[in-house]
Amino acid sequence: MDKPVISFKGAKKIYPMAGESVEALRGVDVDIYPGEFLAIMGPSGSGKSTLMHIAGLLDSLTEGKYLFDGEDVSFISRDKQADIRNRKIGFIFQSFNLLARCSAQENVELPMLYRRPAESNLHEKSMEALRTVGMENRASHLPAQLSGGQQQRVAIARALINSPTLIMADEPTGNLDTKTGKEIMNTLASLHEEGITIIIVTHDHEVGQATRRRIFLRDGLIERDERQAQSSGLTSP
Amino acid sequence: MNIVITMIRLAIRALLAYKVRSLLTMLGIIIGIGSVIVMISVGRGANESIQKQIQSLGANMLMIFSGSSQSGGVRGGFGSAPTLTIRDAQAIEKECPSTLNVTYVLGASTQLVAGKKNWGTRSWGTTANYNLVRDWQVKDGEFITEQHFRSAAGVAVLGSSVAENLFEPGEQAVGQQIRIKNVPFRVIGIMQTRGRTPSGQDNDDTVLVPYTTMSRKLVGDRLPGLVHFIMVSAQSQALVETLKQEVEELLRQRHKILPGMTDDFTVRTLDEYANMAGKTTNTMTMLLTAVAAISLLVGGIGIMNIMLVSVTERTREIGIRMAVGARSRDVLVQFLVEAMVISLIGGILGTVIGVATAIAISALAGWATIISLDSILLATLFSGAVGIFFGFYPARKASRLDPIEALRYE
């Protein structure tokens, strides 16, 4: 088997609060391999968001070890984190998080602006990413002119633009109706088919059923780690 | 390069999204830069017109005043002790090699009568080459000649203001009889109009007569050979300072002033007047510019205020940018560029308004204004600097946001 993309060993996250501190993660060990389609599940307060933030290098561990793509990233600088996020991780959020004043295409290009060294063929690449999610006809629309599902597609295109190792989706269907949610899950599933590692954080079991592996968190610890050879048939390979 | 252009474009778009707010923010900078430009151009204009007036006093000229009188503890002003004589003037002409022309004057308050009109002014007794030293010609008739001087002729040359006050417009003044202190004089010439001196006196409110006539008929021979001022012109601009030293040395010798004693005369060059006047106008310009700079400061604080609001409002945008890989510095630069664009646009508008105001001032109020490229460049650069300076704190605040907190911000 390949080396894991994400490897946590004894991962702890403690938030200092007034008076007492809150332990959001209390020693998590987990390996995630390239090409996995995985859901992190659990009730609110279980630590799943914290785990995603740390795995996505938006936050750092208090204790323990985190290897990303074989590299120890447990205690690296904010700028290094930003560079890794930029090149290797694509984010998809519940509330889409598109820039309201920028067109769909400009939103997709956003991560490329921060890429070092800079790339030149911005427009071709962003159009290609929009085509992948079927949004090439809406390239010049502002987010407000798009439906929720369309906005989330633009967000997926943005996550794809720098050809990341990994896509992290935080409740990607949370703000969408069931039908649109299923379409988005299909899009993610087909990206997985193309070999992209996808991690979804959700408390929605139906979403979880669409994936191949589910990690259940409770009170900052892994409660259960389920693997499933075949997804429930939302996709039709 | 790409990112810089994108950032400027984004900054302009952010400003356009809140047009009224951006304009109000710029207003401080517009007023600040505008007033700096107006103040500098008015100040420079005033300075230059004063320098021109001073140069109009004469060509490469030195003025020598007699020193102050001292009786008991009371000291009079310049000229209160008449220590200069015709002999001093003659000695300067003979012994100072840098001299071109020498003249001297003796003045007295006089009442002039021409027909039914009369006018009070100061009359000056002088020599035939006064007009050369002062670089001041007659516009009608002729100037005092050697002949007039030697014969102590009863002839007078009038300043144009005096001529206007004694004669009707269009009336031929040259050739008319007037009386000065009841002594009859014939008008032989009218001087060209010179305007005001830097201290605001009217150059043209004057009457010139031969020194000999003045001394004998108007002031009497109580003070034989005494003069109020000696005026010397140097052979060239470059020799003015040399001439000053020569004159000082000579007069010290003639007046028997030992080292350590105070001179009983004062020598002034026009440059010294120009410098004094320049200092005064510079002080005024600096004062006014300081006031303008304060309004720039207030404008800058306005920018800081709006940028802080903008950073708070756009917390989520900052979070998104950070999530997709913007480093702290990228965010910092973005907000700095935005602050700079506001203040630069404000600076450019302020420059345009300032220049227009300066032109309007010189057209309407008749003040001389000088709009110089360097003050425009300075103002523009300064407005950019104001943007960077006052934009830095908000930009740094933005760059230090925690990405997760920023993404959660509603």
Side-chain angles (χ1 to χ4, degrees):
Chain A
M1 209 166 199
D2 292 335
K3 276 195 302 183
V5 186
I6 285 173
S7 172
F8 282 110
K9 293 218 164 49
K12 283 192 185 178
K13 179 69 185 179
I14 299 161
Y15 291 110
M17 294 280 190
E20 55 187 311
S21 49
V22 175
E23 259 186 293
L25 296 178
R26 298 192 295 161
V28 170
D29 297 290
V30 67
D31 288 328
I32 297 167
Y33 292 92
E36 281 204 86
F37 189 16
L38 170 146
I40 299 172
M41 306 190 67
S44 54
S46 61
K48 62 182 193 300
S49 289
T50 305
L51 186 62
M52 192 205 81
H53 288 149
I54 291 171
L57 289 156
L58 288 164
D59 205 349
S60 340
L61 286 175
T62 316
E63 258 178 63
K65 200 168 186 186
Y66 176 22
L67 299 179
F68 182 92
D69 225 0
E71 188 187 345
D72 188 349
V73 294
S74 315
F75 303 103
I76 59 172
S77 71
R78 279 185 63 167
D79 283 350
K80 272 247 172 70
Q81 288 183 331
D83 286 349
I84 295 176
R85 285 199 300 271
N86 182 249
R87 279 182 286 116
K88 297 188 173 173
I89 305 172
F91 286 97
I92 298 165
F93 301 94
Q94 177 173 4
S95 50
F96 323 130
N97 277 340
L98 299 176
L99 298 183
R101 283 195 294 268
C102 294
S103 71
Q105 188 168 16
E106 284 168 330
N107 266 291
V108 174
E109 284 165 5
L110 192 63
M112 287 185 84
L113 293 183
Y114 299 114
R115 199 181 163 94
R116 274 159 247 264
E119 278 193 47
S120 50
N121 49 348
L122 233 63
H123 295 287
E124 293 153 46
K125 277 211 149 185
S126 54
M127 272 317 278
E128 196 187 304
L130 281 170
R131 211 169 289 127
T132 313
V133 296
M135 290 291 295
E136 68 271 26
N137 296 326
R138 301 275 149 73
S140 57
H141 286 49
L142 291 174
Q145 298 167 315
L146 299 173
S147 72
Q150 289 171 326
Q151 287 188 53
Q152 196 61 302
R153 282 173 194 283
V154 173
I156 293 171
R158 180 179 66 190
L160 288 172
I161 189 83
N162 274 344
S163 318
T165 320
L166 177 70
I167 283 182
M168 292 213 170
D170 185 5
E171 301 279 9
T173 61
N175 278 14
L176 302 172
D177 60 56
T178 318
K179 182 170 165 282
T180 320
K182 277 185 178 162
E183 282 168 19
I184 292 296
M185 285 309 292
N186 282 337
T187 307
L188 289 177
S190 63
L191 289 175
H192 167 242
E193 297 293 319
E194 288 166 29
I196 297 172
T197 314
I198 295 173
I199 300 174
I200 299 173
V201 174
T202 184
H203 64 267
D204 183 339
H205 282 272
E206 233 176 286
V207 170
Q209 287 308 312
T211 63
R212 305 285 173 89
R213 179 182 172 191
R214 286 172 293 282
I215 295 171
F216 291 89
L217 281 180
R218 181 175 289 276
D219 297 332
L221 288 170
I222 294 182
E223 186 188 46
R224 211 160 74 234
D225 189 344
E226 285 182 2
R227 281 166 201 276
Q228 188 173 329
Q230 185 64 46
S231 67
S232 65
L234 267 173
T235 60
S236 39
Chain B
M1 209 54 230
N2 227 330
I3 192 153
V4 175
I5 294 166
T6 311
M7 278 189 168
I8 292 173
R9 221 180 56 206
L10 277 177
I12 289 170
R13 197 183 295 175
L15 298 180
L16 286 179
Y18 300 98
K19 288 188 195 69
V20 176
R21 187 162 97 183
S22 305
L23 197 73
L24 287 175
T25 310
M26 279 176 204
L27 208 56
I29 299 291
I30 292 175
I31 293 171
I33 291 289
S35 43
V36 166
I37 297 256
V38 172
M39 291 312 151
I40 291 178
S41 59
V42 167
R44 287 198 180 163
N47 199 17
E48 181 156 300
S49 61
I50 287 176
Q51 301 298 334
K52 261 192 207 149
Q53 285 174 343
I54 287 170
Q55 288 313 315
S56 77
L57 289 177
N60 307 329
M61 193 182 75
L62 289 185
M63 297 270 278
I64 305 155
F65 308 91
S66 38
S68 61
S69 67
Q70 190 156 7
S71 59
V74 182
R75 299 174 71 199
F78 287 138
S80 54
T83 54
L84 296 171
T85 63
I86 295 175
R87 288 185 190 284
D88 286 330
Q90 286 163 346
I92 290 169
E93 184 152 36
K94 218 177 292 164
E95 290 175 39
C96 296
S98 310
T99 307
L100 182 65
N101 285 304
V102 178
T103 185
Y104 44 84
V105 294
L106 175 66
S109 288
T110 50
Q111 198 66 23
L112 278 56
V113 181
K116 285 177 188 159
K117 288 188 171 180
N118 73 92
W119 181 250
T121 188
R122 216 167 167 78
S123 296
W124 297 98
T126 188
T127 62
N129 56 3
Y130 175 89
N131 58 343
L132 299 179
V133 178
R134 292 291 310 270
D135 194 17
W136 190 11
Q137 307 305 328
V138 289
K139 87 181 157 192
D140 269 329
E142 56 169 357
F143 197 71
I144 299 162
T145 62
E146 279 296 323
Q147 188 64 41
H148 294 138
F149 182 83
R150 256 176 294 177
S151 59
V155 292
V157 179
L158 306 185
S160 58
S161 299
V162 175
E164 277 165 33
N165 281 294
L166 287 181
F167 300 102
E168 296 298 330
E171 195 181 347
Q172 178 64 21
V174 175
Q176 302 261 22
Q177 285 295 133
I178 59 168
R179 278 179 304 159
I180 304 174
K181 272 186 152 180
N182 270 332
V183 179
F185 280 83
R186 184 168 54 87
V187 177
I188 56 166
I190 309 291
M191 298 304 282
Q192 280 174 349
T193 302
R194 259 268 162 103
R196 301 204 166 263
T197 65
S199 47
Q201 287 158 330
D202 188 354
N203 270 319
D204 304 311
D205 187 11
T206 192
V207 175
L208 299 165
V209 300
Y211 173 86
T212 43
T213 321
M214 184 76 183
S215 147
R216 281 178 214 166
K217 294 186 181 160
L218 296 180
V219 295
D221 279 343
R222 278 179 293 125
L223 308 165
L226 281 179
V227 297
H228 280 116
F229 315 117
I230 299 174
M231 289 171 249
V232 189
S233 60
Q235 287 176 359
S236 71
Q237 173 91 52
L239 286 172
V240 171
E241 278 302 313
T242 319
L243 178 62
K244 184 184 175 189
Q245 281 166 16
E246 290 169 0
V247 167
E248 281 175 343
E249 216 165 286
L250 179 73
L251 288 181
R252 276 190 203 122
Q253 248 174 44
R254 292 181 52 83
H255 292 191
K256 304 193 170 56
I257 290 162
L258 299 171
M261 285 169 65
T262 318
D263 291 346
D264 63 354
F265 60 90
T266 309
V267 182
R268 282 275 155 80
T269 64
L270 289 184
D271 280 350
E272 287 169 337
Y273 281 109
N275 286 343
M276 280 190 290
K279 264 182 202 155
T280 318
T281 50
N282 277 349
T283 310
M284 278 308 288
T285 308
M286 274 170 71
L287 205 74
L288 293 171
T289 310
V291 172
I294 288 170
S295 65
L296 253 187
L297 186 79
V298 175
I301 292 169
I303 288 186
M304 179 145 75
N305 186 19
I306 286 300
M307 290 309 293
L308 281 172
V309 171
S310 173
V311 166
T312 308
E313 275 180 358
R314 289 154 67 193
T315 301
R316 205 188 180 101
E317 176 192 327
I318 296 163
I320 295 169
R321 288 179 184 275
M322 286 179 161
V324 302
R327 291 186 184 183
S328 296
R329 244 185 63 181
D330 297 325
V331 176
L332 183 89
V333 169
Q334 183 193 338
F335 280 89
L336 271 185
V337 166
E338 219 172 289
M340 220 172 76
V341 167
I342 293 189
S343 57
L344 263 181
I345 294 177
I348 291 166
L349 288 178
T351 304
V352 171
I353 290 171
V355 168
T357 310
I359 291 170
I361 283 177
S362 56
L364 297 178
W367 294 3
T369 56
I370 293 175
I371 297 150
S372 53
L373 193 67
D374 59 340
S375 66
I376 289 174
L377 281 178
L378 195 79
T380 312
L381 285 179
F382 197 70
S383 64
V386 164
I388 291 181
F389 185 80
F390 288 100
F392 188 77
Y393 173 68
R396 203 184 60 155
K397 201 176 162 204
S399 75
R400 291 194 170 179
L401 285 175
D402 177 47
I404 299 169
E405 297 285 320
L407 279 171
R408 278 202 199 117
Y409 187 86
E410 288 300 328

